[in-house]
Amino acid sequence: MDNFLKLLESFNRKERFFLVGEALGNPNFQLSDDFRFRLGCRDVFGIVPPKDALVFMDYHLDWLHASLFLSHPGNDENGVHDNSDGIATGTQEDVDLLIAFPFNDNIRIFLIEAKAATGWNNSQLISKARKLTNIFGECPNNKFPGIIPQFCLMS
């Protein structure tokens, strides 16, 4: 599972991530204590992420899928892989904030979709839900044992 976290990091190549981290004096993109504790509330995720959790913004869902796929034994990073399931789409569909960290012998992934000045769009949320279901499978049958995703909306 540690390989999964390294793969998540290796796919993170958005210039905005690096620019914002440098501009705010937080190049490791660590969460503030206040935000970590708010995520830990029972009505959000119920778990406080550790200070050293991996945090990414505008993280492509294809990158997430590739990281999960490649983290499994037998899936060689250097090989060519079949996409007959059509999960990898090559689109820009992303999640606004992705937080990943080890927790109780598993890896938790918090996926946060945010809106500030615009309204929520049902078609966008349905598309995202469909993509996440394609990646992880129907609940509670996660295709990736030991990886526990949780999704929330923030505005």
Side-chain angles (χ1 to χ4, degrees), residues 61-144:
L61 295 180
D62 279 352
W63 296 350
L64 173 59
H65 174 252
S67 297
L68 289 162
F69 177 83
L70 291 173
S71 69
H72 278 266
N75 294 338
D76 180 9
E77 297 174 27
N78 299 313
V80 175
H81 302 284
D82 180 28
N83 187 36
S84 59
D85 57 14
I87 294 174
T89 58
T91 66
Q92 299 289 314
E93 190 166 26
D94 64 15
V95 65
D96 294 319
L97 198 67
L98 184 150
I99 302 166
F101 56 95
F103 185 80
N104 289 346
D105 297 325
N106 294 303
I107 293 179
R108 293 287 180 147
I109 306 172
F110 294 170
L111 305 156
I112 302 173
E113 188 65 24
K115 294 286 182 213
T118 60
W120 293 100
N121 178 317
N122 282 343
S123 64
Q124 178 192 19
L125 292 175
I126 289 168
S127 173
K128 202 148 298 196
R130 190 172 291 131
K131 177 80 171 193
L132 290 170
T133 300
N134 286 339
I135 291 171
F136 290 102
E138 293 283 341
C139 290
N141 301 317
N142 185 347
K143 293 179 191 176
F144 302 98

Side-chain angles (χ1 to χ4, degrees), residues 11 13 17 34 44 52 54 57 102 123 129 137 139:
F11 278 100
R13 292 295 171 252
F17 169 87
D34 178 60
V44 183
D52 64 347
L54 294 178
M57 63 184 280
S123 64
C139 290

